[in-house]
Amino acid sequence: MKILPILAVRRLAACAAGAFAVLVSCCGGPAAAQRLPGSVVPTHYTLALTPDLKAATFSGAESIDVNIRQPTRTITLNAIEIAFQSVSIDSGGARQNGTVSLDSGKQQATFTFPAEVAAGNATLKIAYTGILNNELRGFYLSKTAKRNYAVTQFEATDARRAFPCFDEPAFKATFSVSLTIDAGDTAISNGPIATDTPGPGAGKHTVKFETTPKMSTYLVALLVGDFKCTGGSQDGVDLRVCATPDQAALEPYALDVEKYVLHYYDNYFGIHFPLKKLDLIGIPDFEAGAMENFGAITFREDALLIDPKTASISSQEEVAVVIAHEMAHQWFGDLVTMQWWDNIWLNEGFATWMENKPVAATHPEWNVPLLVASGEQDTLNLDAQPTTRAIRAKAETPAEINQLFDGIAYGKASDVLLTVENYLGEESFRKGVQAYLSAHEYANATAEDFWNAQTAASGKPVDKIMESLVAQPGVPILTIGEPAGGKVAVAQQRFFLSPSITPDPQQKWTLPVCFKTGDAAPDCELVTPTSQSLEIPRASLFFADAGGKGYYRSAYAPAQYAALMAQVESGLTPAERISLTGDEWAQVRADKATVGDYLSLVAALKADPSAEVLASAVNQAEPIADEVASTKQERDQLGDWVRRTFAPEYAKLGPPAAGEPPNTTELRAHLFSLLGYLGNDPEVLKQAREMTGKYLADPSSVDPTLARAALGIAAEHGDAALFDQLQKVYETATDPEKKEGALYLLVEFDDPALLERALEYAVSPKVRNQDTAILFAIVLQIPENRDAAWSFIKAHWDEVQHQLTTDSGSYLVDSAGSFCSAAAHGDVQHFFTEHPVSAADVALKHALEHIDECIELRRLQEPNLQKWLAGQGGL
């Protein structure tokens, strides 16, 4: 599953919706176990569902073939929001009717039968009804202006809302599904359609699907509506992209991606895609970015459907990466599934690591490995906060499980896999992956299963490395001495962004440290808890994170850092430059370097030819302006420096040219954004207004990547006429990228009256509940709009809360951590204590810590900023 963003949501506002991992941590306090007993095991489900889209209800007739391990009169499974009509069991040639008792707290139903049911095979038969809810989970309603759709989202624990089941990942079974629906509608499920017959009843038809392979309940998919599909085939598999009829013209791009990715994965994994068909379906109301249902992947519309002629480069990248992520799950997660949710990283970390490979192979011009390197910096910063967790963490209740879908499960797990792959070599790592998948097809696996397979395939201590990185929370920092005699002293400890936290001296890691050599291949040595020095290769430049793929921070001796700075452009690759700037910003946060040191490094990279290197470096300029600078004078002088430093670089690029490399296009857009947002450059502001007018009149008349940046800048300074235009785009556009992008821009306006309109609009029926929390998360991270937005949220909490779904409230709570004062800390804490938000307890801890970190950062670094600005002629 791909989760929506809360990190860098201001960039999301300017750039329209993306699909990245939610960065919150886990887990909460102790909770009562809700696991099912293992004495009854399902082997096959037969599901016959009849949804009523107008009444928002459905009926179900279900049979479950089970194996009973020991004689019993009771069987317990999962069910919630289900009204039971009858329950019986067939066993040993006899049938018994049962009674039902419900435990809503545990989301369980227990069937009790008059006589003991013998051990062996039996069949449960259940008749029931349920509701098509508006919560974007379980079996729910998705709506357009014209009609309703019935769709599903079951991960992690919501299949039980659609049919009584053994709703845990280890209880794999096969599924035979049929849907009785209106005559004009179609249905989609995991398997191909086996039969489509009229009735029962007038105006109805029944669609029966082929039986699935063994899979977990959370992977079942059920969709009903008038979906239109674009089809093709690849490697003998029928492929389709499906959407509502008004979106059908936007399907071909995704289908092309689907074809290439399937072929790539077939070859990489050495296991042919295990189903006959694979559908990708865009859904109007969908909380997550996408969901990897076996053979029927569901998406938010803007994560699947775009027009490449008018879409920005980053939008095309985002859609391709999300598709690749979900398709990777067909192997990692669907074919081989984690035993329990504590190892959800075996699904999400693998898919995040894998998603980049086919996209990079298809589009080398997009420089995808540099996007990975930048993403690792975000994850390292997340993991260096007090509220973090180990990759493998205990979770028992649905609320605890849902909070596991965070930046650790996605980002850190992916980065750890990248570190190990870099150490072993790509082909050796691939052999370990293939061995792991082959050993556990259609079954479940644990972390130990994976790293033991890698250890056996490579002959290297992958088990020790991965256990060290998976079982412990936090980020190691390596303090590296002066190289001498072919060796270098290395000390390690846990790194925190806050200098006020003292790390536990006993916490150590076993991990590979890869040194830069004169050759393409790095020289990797293993640092252990007892290591005091490492052997190093002979090289013209000493750098301890070759390729920028190591999951650690580095702190160099002064002479070595000076040597790196002197050759930052000529001696380091782009990924290594990203690693170096990330380490330097981390040192600033930890009060081991000054904000002036960092800005001097950014200035040294001002002419960097890599768009992603520049973006990664200047991404911290905004927190410096927001969190370190406390006065308008400081922010104005920082803006002066931005204009003096980067306006000449922007001018050198000139206007967009047909056929120019994507890197040039992205570089221009990054500089444009920097000069517009932080520099308030008059010429850029003028260009932004002009481009926005042209784009809204004719999207094909402006470079879409530059237009994406211009829209955000123009909105910030926009008037009521522009607000009305964007609101109309949201309400009338059929292109999801343009539609969602226009919506998110409404909270960018800094005119108080227009901001109030945007906030009122966010809680109106015009805005889908999938988007409301994102809008508030965006506006809370905009310095000029933050206070007004927070006041609105408090004053209109009933309306705001009504729009929040079960999981999306954590986006809003986390973004309340954008404040930077003790008074705000108390206010945020008090408000959410009095008005608790579902599944957001850890997000609140994270938000409060971020406020405290900002206070500390400002106290420590604002004097350094003032001194540096004075040295630039700024104060």
Side-chain angles (χ1 to χ4, degrees):
M1 183 164 61
K2 201 71 168 174
I3 306 295
L4 286 175
I6 57 175
L7 184 72
V9 287
R10 185 172 188 188
R11 184 180 179 187
L12 172 65
C15 301
F20 304 95
V22 167
L23 299 186
V24 297
S25 304
C26 192
C27 287
Q34 297 185 0
R35 303 280 289 272
L36 295 172
S39 55
V40 179
V41 178
T43 59
H44 179 75
Y45 292 81
T46 301
L47 299 173
L49 301 179
T50 303
D52 184 334
L53 274 60
K54 292 182 179 179
T57 61
F58 64 93
S59 61
E62 174 184 20
S63 66
I64 311 174
D65 295 337
V66 296
N67 180 263
I68 298 174
R69 302 290 175 83
Q70 57 191 39
T72 183
R73 289 183 59 230
T74 62
I75 294 176
T76 298
L77 41 59
N78 295 112
I80 189 73
E81 297 178 353
I82 293 291
F84 289 90
Q85 296 175 325
S86 64
V87 173
S88 64
I89 191 167
D90 293 344
S91 174
R95 173 170 294 182
Q96 297 188 66
N97 293 323
T99 61
V100 182
S101 60
L102 301 175
D103 186 333
S104 59
K106 290 186 177 181
Q107 300 184 0
Q108 293 176 356
T110 297
F111 304 153
T112 301
F113 301 99
E116 192 169 70
V117 181
N121 295 329
T123 300
L124 287 166
K125 295 185 180 296
I126 307 165
Y128 63 97
T129 60
I131 59 171
L132 297 172
N133 66 69
N134 291 309
E135 292 293 317
L136 310 189
R137 61 176 178 165
F139 202 9
Y140 70 91
L141 278 185
S142 180
K143 303 175 183 178
T144 67
K146 295 181 178 180
R147 59 159 299 154
N148 291 343
Y149 294 79
V151 299
T152 54
Q153 169 58 37
F154 290 160
E155 191 177 33
T157 60
D158 290 313
R160 63 193 67 175
R161 297 177 190 275
F163 56 96
C165 58
F166 298 81
D167 200 11
E168 296 179 5
F171 288 120
K172 285 193 166 185
T174 55
F175 293 81
S176 297
V177 174
S178 64
L179 287 162
T180 299
I181 59 177
D182 291 342
D185 284 345
T186 188
I188 301 171
S189 189
N190 304 86
I193 293 175
T195 61
D196 188 346
T197 57
K204 299 287 184 179
H205 68 127
T206 298
V207 181
K208 184 176 181 180
F209 299 89
E210 292 185 12
T211 301
T212 70
K214 283 182 66 177
M215 64 184 197
S216 303
T217 49
Y218 77 89
L219 297 170
V220 174
L222 310 166
L223 300 99
V224 178
D226 59 352
F227 295 102
K228 301 298 181 186
C229 304
T230 301
S233 65
Q234 183 67 53
D235 294 1
V237 179
D238 291 331
L239 305 179
R240 295 192 303 175
V241 177
C242 303
T244 58
D246 58 331
Q247 309 283 349
L250 301 173
E251 294 169 350
Y253 177 84
L255 182 63
D256 288 342
V257 174
E258 184 182 16
K259 290 178 180 179
Y260 183 88
V261 171
L262 184 90
H263 182 69
Y264 184 96
Y265 286 164
D266 275 350
N267 289 332
Y268 184 93
F269 295 129
I271 299 173
H272 188 269
F273 180 72
L275 302 179
K276 295 179 181 179
K277 66 92 175 174
L278 176 60
D279 294 330
L280 313 182
I281 311 105
I283 296 176
D285 296 277
F286 196 71
E287 186 172 54
M291 174 61 208
E292 66 269 16
N293 313 300
F294 213 178
I297 303 172
T298 46
F299 295 77
R300 280 176 69 107
E301 290 176 331
D302 59 334
L304 179 69
L305 306 166
I306 61 169
D307 180 355
K309 294 178 181 177
T310 58
S312 66
I313 294 169
S314 56
S315 289
Q316 295 178 60
E317 291 169 352
E318 288 160 7
V319 168
V321 165
V322 174
I323 291 171
H325 180 100
E326 302 307 327
M327 289 180 65
H329 274 309
Q330 304 298 294
W331 287 263
F332 284 113
D334 297 6
L335 182 67
V336 179
T337 311
M338 73 276 151
Q339 184 76 16
W340 180 248
W341 298 105
D342 59 346
N343 274 320
I344 186 58
W345 71 274
L346 283 172
N347 286 18
E348 300 302 348
F350 273 102
T352 304
W353 162 75
M354 193 71 205
E355 68 190 17
N356 303 292
K357 289 183 178 292
V359 179
T362 316
H363 292 285
E365 73 279 8
W366 287 351
N367 296 313
V368 172
L370 300 187
L371 300 175
V372 175
S374 290
E376 182 171 5
Q377 300 309 309
D378 293 334
T379 302
L380 288 165
N381 289 337
L382 169 72
D383 202 23
Q385 295 176 338
T387 299
T388 188
R389 66 172 179 87
I391 289 176
R392 180 162 58 182
K394 182 180 178 181
E396 296 291 342
T397 69
E400 290 176 344
I401 292 166
N402 286 339
Q403 289 188 91
L404 288 176
F405 290 82
D406 64 0
I408 300 301
Y410 290 76
K412 182 176 181 178
S414 170
D415 294 334
V416 165
L417 293 171
L418 185 68
T419 296
V420 174
E421 181 189 37
N422 192 45
Y423 168 60
L424 298 181
E426 291 187 8
E427 190 54 36
S428 177
F429 190 81
R430 178 185 178 186
K431 289 179 180 177
V433 167
Q434 291 177 337
Y436 164 76
L437 291 174
S438 296
H440 302 283
E441 287 184 67
Y442 303 109
N444 299 85
T446 65
E448 288 78 7
D449 292 326
F450 174 74
W451 62 57
N452 288 340
Q454 286 289 354
T455 301
S458 67
K460 293 186 176 182
V462 178
D463 51 351
K464 293 182 173 60
I465 295 168
M466 292 207 68
E467 184 171 16
S468 171
L469 289 164
V470 168
Q472 298 188 94
V475 177
I477 184 169
L478 306 180
T479 302
I480 300 167
E482 294 280 359
K487 292 187 176 183
V488 67
V490 176
Q492 64 160 299
Q493 65 178 13
R494 183 171 174 180
F495 175 74
F496 289 97
L497 290 176
S498 172
S500 64
I501 300 175
T502 301
D504 179 357
Q506 301 304 312
Q507 187 174 2
K508 306 285 184 181
W509 285 263
T510 298
L511 71 160
V513 179
C514 296
F515 296 100
K516 191 173 181 64
T517 68
D519 303 320
D523 185 329
C524 298
E525 301 291 328
L526 206 61
V527 64
T528 70
T530 60
S531 297
Q532 296 184 347
S533 65
L534 295 176
E535 295 185 1
I536 57 174
R538 299 181 66 178
S540 58
L541 182 64
F542 177 77
F543 186 66
D545 187 16
K549 297 178 180 179
Y551 196 78
Y552 50 85
R553 290 293 186 195
S554 304
Y556 295 92
Q560 293 306 312
Y561 183 74
L564 288 170
M565 284 292 292
Q567 300 184 58
V568 65
E569 289 286 0
S570 60
L572 299 179
T573 67
E576 291 163 352
R577 296 199 290 276
I578 290 170
S579 172
L580 181 67
T581 57
D583 283 344
E584 183 65 6
W585 177 246
Q587 293 291 82
V588 172
R589 293 289 304 271
D591 202 32
K592 301 295 185 182
T594 72
V595 71
D597 295 334
Y598 184 80
L599 289 171
S600 295
L601 173 58
V602 173
L605 295 169
K606 66 180 182 181
D608 199 290
S610 167
E612 195 57 36
V613 170
L614 180 77
S616 182
V618 303
N619 272 352
Q620 308 311 329
E622 186 169 346
I624 290 171
D626 183 18
E627 299 180 4
V628 179
S630 68
T631 69
K632 183 177 185 302
Q633 182 186 17
E634 290 166 358
R635 288 188 286 271
D636 287 347
Q637 297 302 329
L638 189 60
D640 289 342
W641 173 77
V642 167
R643 292 193 300 275
R644 292 196 307 270
T645 305
F646 294 100
E649 303 305 321
Y650 173 68
K652 288 177 186 177
L653 293 175
E660 71 180 9
N663 179 74
T664 302
T665 304
E666 292 272 35
L667 183 60
R668 182 185 297 105
H670 290 318
L671 288 167
F672 189 84
S673 292
L674 178 64
L675 289 165
Y677 276 118
L678 291 185
N680 284 307
D681 185 290
E683 182 59 29
V684 167
L685 298 182
K686 177 184 176 184
Q687 292 178 24
R689 289 191 296 270
E690 293 172 349
M691 273 188 276
T692 295
K694 291 179 180 178
Y695 178 84
L696 291 174
D698 178 9
S700 65
S701 67
V702 182
D703 171 71
T705 299
L706 194 56
R708 193 173 184 179
L711 283 162
I713 296 167
E716 181 176 1
H717 302 275
D719 58 14
L722 178 58
F723 187 98
D724 291 341
Q725 283 182 285
L726 291 171
Q727 193 173 46
K728 184 178 180 181
V729 170
Y730 169 67
E731 293 180 358
T732 62
T734 57
D735 185 324
E737 182 198 23
K738 296 180 180 63
K739 185 181 184 73
E740 296 296 297
L743 174 65
Y744 297 155
L745 288 171
L746 295 180
V747 294
E748 284 269 300
F749 285 77
D750 60 13
D751 180 292
L754 296 176
L755 177 60
E756 183 75 11
R757 280 182 59 188
L759 297 173
E760 291 173 352
Y761 194 63
V763 295
S764 75
K766 293 280 190 179
V767 174
R768 296 179 183 277
N769 59 352
Q770 68 175 11
D771 296 317
T772 296
I774 299 173
L775 281 168
F776 284 111
I778 291 168
V779 72
L780 284 171
Q781 296 202 30
I782 300 174
E784 299 83 0
N785 296 353
R786 183 179 298 141
D787 290 337
W790 179 238
S791 296
F792 181 93
I793 289 168
K794 292 187 293 182
H796 299 80
W797 180 245
D798 288 344
E799 298 102 302
V800 172
Q801 190 174 42
H802 178 74
Q803 284 287 96
L804 301 179
T805 61
T806 303
D807 295 328
S808 68
S810 62
Y811 306 168
L812 186 157
V813 174
D814 189 90
S815 290
S818 299
F819 292 99
C820 199
S821 71
H825 179 286
D827 191 21
V828 170
Q829 183 175 34
H830 175 76
F831 183 79
F832 286 121
T833 300
E834 294 295 315
H835 304 87
V837 176
S838 173
D841 55 321
V842 180
L844 179 58
K845 293 178 184 177
H846 182 93
L848 296 175
E849 287 170 357
H850 190 274
I851 294 173
D852 291 339
E853 289 169 357
C854 181
I855 295 168
E856 182 180 52
L857 179 65
R858 179 173 291 173
R859 175 176 59 81
L860 295 172
Q861 290 293 343
E862 188 174 17
N864 295 327
L865 176 63
Q866 293 169 346
K867 181 179 178 181
W868 186 84
L869 287 171
Q872 304 300 307
L875 284 176

